[in-house]
Amino acid sequence: MSQFTELRKIINQKGLLNKQPAYYTYKILLNLGFLATGLILLMVIDNIWLQSVNAVFMGFVFTQIGFMGHDSGHRQIFHGARKNDMIGLIVGNLLIGISYGWWYDYHNAHHGNPNQPDLDPDIKIAPLAFYEEQARGKRGLTRFIVKYQGYLYFPLILFEGLSKRNSSIRYLLMKQSRYRMVESVLLLAHYSIYLGLLFSLLGGWQALVFIAINQAIFGLYMGSVFAPNHKGMPILASDHKLDYLHMQVITARNITAHPITDFIYGGLNYQIEHHLFPSLPRNKLREAQEVIKSFCQKHSISYHETSVLQSYREILGHFHEISAFIHD
């Protein structure tokens, strides 16, 4: 019996992969409540400073809603693919303006090939370099950015939301998504409602200020949550011989469990558990961690878990190390 088969048997015996309809009903209602609160504040407040605060709040709300799309894409909510896809389309395309089909393809490629050059899209981000060869190959503006990427990372992720929207639109224009027509209609509906509400309720320049703040916070929050997952962790050779268990564990980083971080990170702070069992419901990740962490220790498999601040120190330290390979 392989080690992963043994581990999966334990996880199954504990019922951790069972669907959690009550939990996800609560999360859906909570996020809709957050969204409704932001919309009500948008309609009743006539003060640009208070609306700026609301723009920050809505950036938080969009990311929390995005976590629901992530969970639906991994079939954590329902047994049937179609029901999960329906949630993903509503959450992704309609509510936050990101193509569910694009994200699904992109994210599956990442899950199957974490931290593998030419295979993992998460380490093929043009303005960044994650390993020496990639850094040495940069030219022009991207070379300059990579040289200072440790300093520029957080300013860059302010544009993360816009980047994902751009990728979504290009994906639907160029590729045959399974739900291409539905996705296109929902995406158009999102932009019509989002821009229509802001410009009709706030007016021209105030709407632009709201959009700038809202999208920057959305990107910053997303980028900050995604960064600790794999950045600064081992990069695998294309011909590596690691099995599934070792590949997923050694390329991922966990953030120390706590009710606050569990909420803020949408469960992605349990990155090791999530990568080993992507369909594991979010509210079962902490219980699964106890099993998986103990199993890794028993089998001498490196299991990396650290604090929020230390994770960013490691990430920025890694970026600085890679930047050193670029010389004037």
Short mmCIF file of all heavy atoms in Angstrom, two decimals, residues 12 25 30 32 54 67 106 109 122 127 159 170 183 212 214 218 220-221 249 258 294 305 317:
data_model
loop_
_atom_site.label_atom_id
_atom_site.label_comp_id
_atom_site.label_asym_id
_atom_site.label_seq_id
_atom_site.Cartn_x
_atom_site.Cartn_y
_atom_site.Cartn_z
N ASN A 12 -10.73 8.99 4.81
CA ASN A 12 -12.06 8.47 4.48
C ASN A 12 -12.75 7.86 5.70
O ASN A 12 -13.96 8.06 5.90
CB ASN A 12 -11.96 7.42 3.37
CG ASN A 12 -12.06 8.03 1.98
OD1 ASN A 12 -12.86 8.93 1.76
ND2 ASN A 12 -11.25 7.55 1.05
N THR A 25 -24.23 26.31 3.22
CA THR A 25 -25.41 27.16 3.21
C THR A 25 -25.17 28.39 4.06
O THR A 25 -25.47 29.53 3.66
CB THR A 25 -26.64 26.39 3.72
OG1 THR A 25 -26.91 25.28 2.87
CG2 THR A 25 -27.87 27.30 3.77
N LEU A 30 -23.88 34.10 4.53
CA LEU A 30 -23.01 35.10 5.15
C LEU A 30 -22.42 36.03 4.09
O LEU A 30 -22.43 37.26 4.24
CB LEU A 30 -21.90 34.42 5.93
CG LEU A 30 -20.87 35.34 6.60
CD1 LEU A 30 -21.53 36.18 7.68
CD2 LEU A 30 -19.71 34.52 7.18
N LEU A 32 -23.53 36.58 1.04
CA LEU A 32 -24.59 37.40 0.44
C LEU A 32 -24.99 38.53 1.36
O LEU A 32 -25.31 39.64 0.91
CB LEU A 32 -25.81 36.53 0.12
CG LEU A 32 -25.64 35.53 -1.04
CD1 LEU A 32 -26.90 34.68 -1.19
CD2 LEU A 32 -25.34 36.27 -2.35
N ASN A 54 -16.13 51.97 2.27
CA ASN A 54 -17.00 50.93 1.72
C ASN A 54 -16.32 50.21 0.56
O ASN A 54 -16.49 49.01 0.38
CB ASN A 54 -18.32 51.55 1.25
CG ASN A 54 -19.35 50.51 0.85
OD1 ASN A 54 -19.38 49.40 1.41
ND2 ASN A 54 -20.18 50.84 -0.11
N PHE A 67 -13.63 32.92 -2.59
CA PHE A 67 -13.32 31.66 -1.92
C PHE A 67 -14.41 30.62 -2.16
O PHE A 67 -14.13 29.42 -2.23
CB PHE A 67 -13.15 31.87 -0.41
CG PHE A 67 -11.94 32.69 -0.02
CD1 PHE A 67 -11.96 33.49 1.11
CD2 PHE A 67 -10.78 32.66 -0.78
CE1 PHE A 67 -10.86 34.24 1.48
CE2 PHE A 67 -9.66 33.42 -0.43
CZ PHE A 67 -9.71 34.20 0.71
N TYR A 106 -6.95 27.02 -15.27
CA TYR A 106 -5.70 27.55 -14.71
C TYR A 106 -5.36 26.86 -13.39
O TYR A 106 -4.23 26.41 -13.17
CB TYR A 106 -5.87 29.06 -14.51
CG TYR A 106 -4.70 29.78 -13.88
CD1 TYR A 106 -3.81 30.50 -14.66
CD2 TYR A 106 -4.51 29.78 -12.50
CE1 TYR A 106 -2.75 31.20 -14.10
CE2 TYR A 106 -3.45 30.45 -11.92
CZ TYR A 106 -2.57 31.16 -12.73
OH TYR A 106 -1.52 31.84 -12.15
N ALA A 109 -4.34 23.15 -13.58
CA ALA A 109 -2.96 23.00 -14.04
C ALA A 109 -1.99 23.21 -12.89
O ALA A 109 -0.97 22.51 -12.76
CB ALA A 109 -2.67 23.99 -15.17
N ASP A 122 1.21 29.26 -11.92
CA ASP A 122 1.47 30.18 -10.81
C ASP A 122 2.92 30.62 -10.73
O ASP A 122 3.23 31.58 -10.01
CB ASP A 122 1.06 29.53 -9.48
CG ASP A 122 -0.41 29.76 -9.16
OD1 ASP A 122 -1.09 30.42 -9.97
OD2 ASP A 122 -0.88 29.30 -8.11
N PRO A 127 5.96 39.42 -14.61
CA PRO A 127 6.82 40.39 -13.91
C PRO A 127 7.63 39.80 -12.76
O PRO A 127 8.35 40.54 -12.08
CB PRO A 127 5.82 41.42 -13.36
CG PRO A 127 4.50 41.06 -13.93
CD PRO A 127 4.55 39.62 -14.28
N PHE A 159 -2.75 45.03 -8.58
CA PHE A 159 -3.35 44.87 -9.91
C PHE A 159 -3.78 43.41 -10.18
O PHE A 159 -4.13 43.08 -11.31
CB PHE A 159 -2.34 45.31 -10.98
CG PHE A 159 -1.90 46.73 -10.84
CD1 PHE A 159 -0.74 47.04 -10.15
CD2 PHE A 159 -2.66 47.77 -11.36
CE1 PHE A 159 -0.32 48.36 -10.01
CE2 PHE A 159 -2.26 49.09 -11.22
CZ PHE A 159 -1.08 49.38 -10.53
N ARG A 170 -9.93 37.48 -22.20
CA ARG A 170 -9.15 36.87 -23.29
C ARG A 170 -9.50 35.39 -23.45
O ARG A 170 -9.60 34.88 -24.56
CB ARG A 170 -7.66 37.05 -23.02
CG ARG A 170 -7.18 38.48 -23.11
CD ARG A 170 -5.72 38.61 -22.75
NE ARG A 170 -4.89 37.83 -23.64
CZ ARG A 170 -3.60 37.63 -23.46
NH1 ARG A 170 -3.00 38.15 -22.40
NH2 ARG A 170 -2.88 36.92 -24.31
N GLU A 183 -21.16 32.05 -19.58
CA GLU A 183 -20.12 32.85 -18.94
C GLU A 183 -20.08 34.26 -19.50
O GLU A 183 -19.94 35.24 -18.75
CB GLU A 183 -18.76 32.18 -19.14
CG GLU A 183 -18.50 30.98 -18.26
CD GLU A 183 -17.02 30.76 -18.02
OE1 GLU A 183 -16.42 31.60 -17.32
OE2 GLU A 183 -16.48 29.77 -18.53
N ALA A 212 -11.07 52.36 -8.21
CA ALA A 212 -9.62 52.24 -8.00
C ALA A 212 -9.32 51.60 -6.65
O ALA A 212 -8.50 50.68 -6.54
CB ALA A 212 -8.95 53.60 -8.12
N ASN A 214 -11.43 49.89 -4.65
CA ASN A 214 -12.05 48.58 -4.57
C ASN A 214 -11.23 47.50 -5.28
O ASN A 214 -10.96 46.42 -4.72
CB ASN A 214 -13.45 48.65 -5.19
CG ASN A 214 -14.16 47.32 -5.23
OD1 ASN A 214 -14.59 46.86 -6.29
ND2 ASN A 214 -14.30 46.66 -4.09
N PHE A 218 -9.09 44.43 -3.56
CA PHE A 218 -9.42 43.09 -4.05
C PHE A 218 -8.15 42.35 -4.46
O PHE A 218 -7.89 41.21 -4.07
CB PHE A 218 -10.39 43.22 -5.22
CG PHE A 218 -10.84 41.91 -5.83
CD1 PHE A 218 -11.14 40.81 -5.04
CD2 PHE A 218 -10.97 41.79 -7.21
CE1 PHE A 218 -11.56 39.61 -5.61
CE2 PHE A 218 -11.40 40.60 -7.79
CZ PHE A 218 -11.69 39.51 -6.99
N LEU A 220 -4.96 43.15 -3.66
CA LEU A 220 -4.03 43.03 -2.53
C LEU A 220 -4.44 41.88 -1.61
O LEU A 220 -3.58 41.10 -1.17
CB LEU A 220 -4.01 44.35 -1.75
CG LEU A 220 -3.07 44.39 -0.54
CD1 LEU A 220 -1.62 44.27 -0.97
CD2 LEU A 220 -3.29 45.68 0.25
N TYR A 221 -5.72 41.78 -1.33
CA TYR A 221 -6.21 40.71 -0.46
C TYR A 221 -5.99 39.35 -1.11
O TYR A 221 -5.44 38.43 -0.50
CB TYR A 221 -7.69 40.96 -0.17
CG TYR A 221 -8.33 40.01 0.83
CD1 TYR A 221 -7.60 39.11 1.59
CD2 TYR A 221 -9.72 40.02 1.02
CE1 TYR A 221 -8.20 38.25 2.49
CE2 TYR A 221 -10.34 39.17 1.92
CZ TYR A 221 -9.57 38.29 2.65
OH TYR A 221 -10.18 37.43 3.55
N VAL A 249 3.20 17.87 -0.63
CA VAL A 249 3.53 18.35 0.72
C VAL A 249 4.75 19.28 0.70
O VAL A 249 4.72 20.36 1.30
CB VAL A 249 3.77 17.17 1.68
CG1 VAL A 249 4.26 17.69 3.04
CG2 VAL A 249 2.49 16.36 1.87
N HIS A 258 -5.70 29.14 13.17
CA HIS A 258 -6.36 29.98 14.17
C HIS A 258 -7.70 30.38 13.56
O HIS A 258 -7.79 30.57 12.34
CB HIS A 258 -5.52 31.22 14.47
CG HIS A 258 -6.07 32.05 15.59
ND1 HIS A 258 -7.09 32.98 15.42
CD2 HIS A 258 -5.75 32.09 16.91
CE1 HIS A 258 -7.37 33.56 16.56
NE2 HIS A 258 -6.57 33.04 17.49
N SER A 294 0.53 14.58 11.56
CA SER A 294 1.05 13.43 12.32
C SER A 294 1.59 12.35 11.38
O SER A 294 2.64 11.75 11.63
CB SER A 294 -0.06 12.86 13.20
OG SER A 294 0.37 11.69 13.87
N GLU A 305 5.03 24.57 8.28
CA GLU A 305 3.96 25.41 8.81
C GLU A 305 4.61 26.57 9.55
O GLU A 305 5.54 26.38 10.32
CB GLU A 305 3.07 24.60 9.76
CG GLU A 305 1.92 25.39 10.34
CD GLU A 305 1.05 24.54 11.26
OE1 GLU A 305 1.58 23.57 11.85
OE2 GLU A 305 -0.14 24.84 11.40
N GLY A 317 12.21 37.11 1.10
CA GLY A 317 13.61 36.69 1.13
C GLY A 317 13.95 35.87 -0.11
O GLY A 317 15.02 36.04 -0.70
#
